Amino acid sequence: MSATLRFGEGNLQYDAQGRLRHLLSIEGLRERELLQILDTAESFLSIANRSVKKTPTLRGRTIVNLFFENSTRTRSTFELAAKRLSADVLNIAVGTSSASKGESLMDTVDNLVAMQVDGFVIRHPEAGAAHLVVRHLGDSVLVVNAGDGQHAHPTQALLDVFTIRRLAGPIEDRVVAIVGDVLHSRVARSQIHALSILGCPEIRVIGPSTLVPEALSALGVHVYHDLRAGLRGVDVICALRLQRERMVSHRLPSLDEFHGRFGLTPERLRWADPGALVLHPGPMNRGVEIASEVADGAQAVILQQVAHGLAVRMAVLAILAGAAGGE
Amino acid sequence: MSATLRFGEGNLQYDAQGRLRHLLSIEGLRERELLQILDTAESFLSIANRSVKKTPTLRGRTIVNLFFENSTRTRSTFELAAKRLSADVLNIAVGTSSASKGESLMDTVDNLVAMQVDGFVIRHPEAGAAHLVVRHLGDSVLVVNAGDGQHAHPTQALLDVFTIRRLAGPIEDRVVAIVGDVLHSRVARSQIHALSILGCPEIRVIGPSTLVPEALSALGVHVYHDLRAGLRGVDVICALRLQRERMVSHRLPSLDEFHGRFGLTPERLRWADPGALVLHPGPMNRGVEIASEVADGAQAVILQQVAHGLAVRMAVLAILAGAAGGE
Amino acid sequence: MSATLRFGEGNLQYDAQGRLRHLLSIEGLRERELLQILDTAESFLSIANRSVKKTPTLRGRTIVNLFFENSTRTRSTFELAAKRLSADVLNIAVGTSSASKGESLMDTVDNLVAMQVDGFVIRHPEAGAAHLVVRHLGDSVLVVNAGDGQHAHPTQALLDVFTIRRLAGPIEDRVVAIVGDVLHSRVARSQIHALSILGCPEIRVIGPSTLVPEALSALGVHVYHDLRAGLRGVDVICALRLQRERMVSHRLPSLDEFHGRFGLTPERLRWADPGALVLHPGPMNRGVEIASEVADGAQAVILQQVAHGLAVRMAVLAILAGAAGGE
């Protein structure tokens, strides 16, 4: 995971005045920015319950959803987040665009900047794509990394810690386990950084040794290859989506075997603390990493995560645009 | 056609207070709801003639177009209907979405509900898809069926009866013929229910016996296998789009033969009442079910249907949202 | 290029009162309309620097982007132009639409007109497509040709002359060279007309004889097959995108050979006047028609072209809608 260090996010995310201008990864953020985002998201949650769910925060500004990978959930929440802040939204799904004419990512963003857009939400299959865009553009336009390869997915991690804080209590006091393909997961990577920064006392990662190697302990997490042992005393369980593509790479014998050893079933859920919360970033592979009874059960907070994700993304856009009340 | 009964729309479309909350099929609606929709649509028709074609009816609400089948016309009219009511619109065309990651329809809608959307317009290749969504979600979010397999397409039927009422006079007084592949048509099925509920004294269905079997008479319609006999004394002719896919199932020998026996040509139009109106739900197969001279002729009201469709869909969205003036 | 004459744009673009109602080609426009568009665009340029980048000019109106070819840049700028004028925008990318059900272009536009849309922006692979739409619809709805086959791309030419006028000085005083595949380029064709109408004293076209035949001199341009000779004394260089498809037609031996003879490199740029501007309509083939050092160099105004394109398209939509201040 040392690859992340090459990106040097620590400086890249802040503008010359030290204000958060881009959200590229959780790594490199300070606790106070995380808290500002979470607190701002709290204030946006209430808007969702009004019949007119809009604020004029970003009126007249344009946010571009630049997606080089398919996504319903993430694209939709960013689109709704921007629209509820009264921004105009331009959706660009590459594959149906000039990129098929061979234009480079940098030429694409340069052109959109020339159209005076105010921000980019970028999903890209290559790690570091959003960082490269920021290095290229500087601070004139805000950039949110909505998932870059196996590197980072910071708004997912933010909505997860928002959900834990809101539904499971103080993070400084919770034991959190991340279960599944931690090695290749941009979600897990961002979760670990967010939980660490917010003072989570014990972060566990659970999965087969091919997907959760011992070397991960260098990140300050506790590695388990046995689900029962890993869940003991846990307050929050973050399931990861199993990427079926991994099968090809022979890291997994079969989906069935994975489910047999690490799938979250009602019986195994009892190995954790009573009332432990179950999170999943979606979309779920029901019957693989999570049984339907758990996904739809009382301990799952998967749909609350989605609702929180909208509020968190509104908060991120507002703060990066310098338009949040807290600024 | 007994399959429709399994859906039990009678109750499903109304909320606990007996108000119309979903539009899933015409079957199960009462005459007074149909009239409320048609009357509300009349009031929205006039908006189309203003230079600012918007009302604040659904300001701050979000309508999701969830389309599992391609459609320009229906998707565009629902999108414009929602935008003219000042709603935000989220277009999701599945195939370019997480559904390609294997997520179920119910997980997709649950996620969107968690994003606090206010309504779904759903087109799906399987009959009953929109009903299943309502059974799953209950009344928290409005649902419009924009076509489900061969089952129903209620807004199409509503715009057709709106067009008949407006351009051909009282439905209680008109003879209406539906021509073509009635057996597989969700449009025909919904038209028959709407005409029946509104007191149409004579509904005829005309086509080859493979596509218009005698058994259809159980729906209270008169079955004809001869176009000349079927058109005699008719005030309104509803042509159906011939699904080319049917050819594969050997229900039709060829498009040419269909056109030869049942295609609407200027000569055959004279078999009906002078001035009989010609409707078509589009998109047309010119030269198959309808000759271009008829499609573009004085008796065709096909483009008026489209204009009416926009007003009817505005009315449906406003009424289901509880935001129509008449509520 | 005589094909253009068949379209008879001279009259088609004006309404009965002699006002510009459609923008189909530069050919047939008068100098005063070109100047009105350029001057109106100047006034819209300043809006881009406000934090709220919107004017209420087209509030309540609907503009349809009807694209039968892929395009990020042109579709995005028209979408943003319409949104910044407060119009609603309906994007229709054919291929994902009823056109795949075999509906004709005219049936598609008729349907959209029935939905009371106010304007079309049409890109189509066939020359004359937008003209046919205007012949079919008349003046009830405005039509902008956003590129039709090898015929015309008038808004691109307008943003190019806007850029020249703004950054290189009076067009009546400049020598302009167009380099590349002039024969097949709708951009070149429109540029030549725009420069002529605005009084450019010398227009040169430069390229291999297969792509820049002598016959082009009938358009009043000077033909060069040698880059060095063609660039001598030139103030403005308009590079064209090399369509890779041309290779198939054996008009070009290879991309390498084209670059070797006509690619714009820093060394060759010195053959032109010092400070000559370099324009390119994008997307660029870096290393083919233009070297990256030139594309990103001090003489390139390629991104300014994009910014100007947005202002020019706002001006065009406002003027055709009869809503520009200057009207």
Side-chain angles (χ1 to χ4, degrees), chain A residues 264-284:
Chain A
L264 287 175
T265 62
E267 300 71 38
R268 290 164 178 173
L269 205 47
R270 287 189 216 106
W271 296 340
D273 229 49
L277 298 188
V278 177
L279 284 74
H280 189 293
M284 292 183 280

Side-chain angles (χ1 to χ4, degrees), chain C residues 91-110:
Chain C
N91 285 313
I92 298 184
V94 176
T96 60
S97 86
S98 276
S100 60
K101 291 189 188 173
E103 191 179 54
S104 76
L105 172 60
M106 294 313 151
D107 280 337
T108 297
V109 297
D110 278 343

Side-chain angles (χ1 to χ4, degrees), chain C residues 20-248:
Chain C
L20 195 64
R21 180 60 175 156
H22 308 292
L23 180 64
L24 302 176
S25 70
I26 299 296
E27 199 183 5
L29 294 189
R30 291 167 296 207
E31 183 179 20
R32 70 164 210 247
E33 274 92 25
L34 293 192
L35 293 176
Q36 186 199 6
I37 294 169
L38 301 184
D39 293 344
T40 306
E42 293 280 354
S43 73
F44 282 127
L45 253 196
S46 60
I47 290 180
N49 300 321
R50 300 190 210 154
S51 74
V52 174
K53 306 191 191 71
K54 293 182 89 107
T55 73
T57 315
L58 296 185
R59 207 179 102 66
R61 315 230 195 156
T62 305
I63 302 296
V64 181
N65 279 329
L66 189 57
F67 273 61
F68 293 81
E69 287 182 346
N70 281 337
S71 162
T72 295
R73 189 178 328 245
T74 305
R75 195 266 295 168
S76 297
T77 45
F78 272 112
E79 180 172 349
L80 289 179
K83 285 182 171 171
R84 289 191 181 157
L85 295 167
S86 301
D88 286 323
V89 177
L90 188 64
N91 285 313
I92 298 184
V94 176
T96 60
S97 86
S98 276
S100 60
K101 291 189 188 173
E103 191 179 54
S104 76
L105 172 60
M106 294 313 151
D107 280 337
T108 297
V109 297
D110 278 343
N111 272 282
L112 289 160
V113 169
M115 295 175 207
Q116 296 97 31
V117 304
D118 299 279
F120 289 102
V121 175
I122 300 179
R123 168 163 288 193
H124 199 282
E126 285 177 40
H131 292 73
L132 289 174
V133 169
V134 170
R135 285 199 190 287
H136 182 71
L137 294 180
D139 292 339
S140 59
V141 174
L142 69 89
V143 175
V144 179
N145 178 8
D148 61 330
Q150 297 174 9
H151 173 236
H153 192 358
T155 57
Q156 177 69 46
L158 287 167
L159 75 89
D160 291 335
V161 293
F162 183 90
T163 300
I164 295 170
R165 191 176 81 151
R166 200 155 212 275
L167 303 179
I171 286 170
E172 309 89 278
D173 209 27
R174 303 288 110 173
V175 178
V176 178
I178 303 171
V179 185
D181 180 4
V182 177
L183 183 64
H184 303 95
S185 171
R186 57 192 177 203
V187 173
R189 196 181 292 260
S190 292
Q191 285 170 332
I192 292 167
H193 288 299
L195 290 165
S196 298
I197 293 169
L198 292 172
C200 179
E202 190 172 345
I203 308 171
R204 302 180 186 175
V205 293
I206 310 175
S209 58
T210 46
L211 301 177
V212 183
E214 300 295 337
L216 284 174
S217 60
L219 289 171
V221 300
H222 301 263
V223 174
Y224 290 83
H225 302 306
D226 178 74
L227 186 61
R228 182 168 208 152
L231 288 184
R232 193 172 303 129
V234 156
D235 301 296
V236 176
I237 306 167
C238 300
L240 296 175
R241 174 178 170 78
L242 194 76
Q243 307 289 333
R244 287 154 189 271
E245 308 84 273
R246 300 289 167 248
M247 305 283 297
V248 181

Side-chain angles (χ1 to χ4, degrees), chain A residues 2-326:
Chain A
S2 62
T4 60
L5 301 179
R6 281 189 285 124
F7 300 135
E9 301 88 349
N11 307 320
L12 209 51
Q13 304 192 84
Y14 295 92
D15 68 11
Q17 286 72 45
R19 280 177 309 207
L20 195 65
R21 180 58 174 157
H22 309 293
L23 180 63
L24 302 176
S25 69
I26 299 295
E27 200 183 3
L29 295 189
R30 290 168 297 207
E31 183 179 20
R32 70 164 210 247
E33 274 93 24
L34 293 192
L35 293 176
Q36 186 200 6
I37 294 170
L38 301 184
D39 293 344
T40 306
E42 292 281 354
S43 74
F44 282 128
L45 253 197
S46 61
I47 291 178
N49 299 319
R50 301 191 208 152
S51 73
V52 174
K53 305 190 191 71
K54 293 182 90 109
T55 73
T57 315
L58 296 185
R59 206 178 104 64
R61 315 230 195 156
T62 305
I63 302 296
V64 181
N65 278 328
L66 189 57
F67 273 60
F68 293 80
E69 287 183 346
N70 281 336
S71 162
T72 296
R73 191 179 324 245
T74 305
R75 196 266 295 168
S76 296
T77 45
F78 272 111
E79 179 171 349
L80 289 179
K83 285 182 171 172
R84 288 188 184 159
L85 295 168
S86 301
D88 286 324
V89 177
L90 188 65
N91 284 313
I92 298 183
V94 176
T96 61
S97 86
S98 277
S100 61
K101 290 189 189 171
E103 191 179 53
S104 77
L105 172 59
M106 295 311 150
D107 279 338
T108 297
V109 298
D110 278 342
N111 272 282
L112 290 160
V113 169
M115 295 174 206
Q116 296 98 28
V117 304
D118 300 278
F120 289 103
V121 175
I122 301 179
R123 167 163 290 193
H124 199 283
E126 287 177 39
H131 291 73
L132 289 175
V133 168
V134 170
R135 285 201 189 285
H136 182 71
L137 294 180
D139 291 340
S140 59
V141 174
L142 69 89
V143 175
V144 179
N145 178 7
D148 60 331
Q150 297 173 8
H151 173 235
H153 192 356
T155 57
Q156 178 68 46
L158 286 167
L159 74 89
D160 291 335
V161 294
F162 183 90
T163 299
I164 295 170
R165 190 175 83 149
R166 201 157 210 274
L167 303 179
I171 286 170
E172 308 90 279
D173 207 28
R174 302 289 110 175
V175 178
V176 179
I178 303 170
V179 185
D181 180 4
V182 176
L183 183 64
H184 302 94
S185 171
R186 59 193 177 202
V187 172
R189 195 181 293 259
S190 291
Q191 285 170 331
I192 291 168
H193 288 299
L195 289 165
S196 298
I197 293 169
L198 293 172
C200 179
E202 189 172 345
I203 308 170
R204 301 180 186 176
V205 293
I206 310 175
S209 57
T210 47
L211 301 177
V212 183
E214 299 297 337
L216 285 174
S217 59
L219 289 170
V221 300
H222 301 262
V223 175
Y224 291 83
H225 302 305
D226 178 75
L227 186 62
R228 183 168 208 152
L231 289 184
R232 194 171 301 129
V234 155
D235 300 297
V236 175
I237 306 166
C238 299
L240 295 175
R241 174 178 171 79
L242 194 76
Q243 307 288 333
R244 287 154 188 271
E245 307 84 274
R246 300 287 167 249
M247 304 282 297
V248 181
S249 64
H250 305 295
R251 291 186 179 272
L252 267 184
S254 76
L255 297 180
D256 276 353
E257 180 175 329
F258 181 86
H259 184 68
R261 287 181 59 205
F262 296 98
L264 287 175
T265 62
E267 300 71 38
R268 290 164 178 173
L269 205 47
R270 287 189 216 106
W271 296 340
D273 229 49
L277 298 188
V278 177
L279 284 74
H280 189 293
M284 292 183 280
N285 296 302
R286 289 168 175 268
V288 182
E289 71 268 9
I290 190 165
S292 274
E293 298 92 320
V294 173
D296 304 326
Q299 289 171 258
V301 293
I302 297 167
L303 293 174
Q304 287 98 313
Q305 286 176 272
V306 176
H308 297 161
L310 188 56
V312 163
R313 281 154 184 147
M314 289 175 75
V316 167
L317 291 173
I319 289 170
L320 299 183

Side-chain angles (χ1 to χ4, degrees), chain C residues 277-299:
Chain C
L277 297 188
V278 176
L279 284 74
H280 189 293
M284 292 184 279
N285 295 303
R286 290 169 176 267
V288 183
E289 71 267 8
I290 190 166
S292 275
E293 299 91 319
V294 173
D296 304 325
Q299 289 172 259

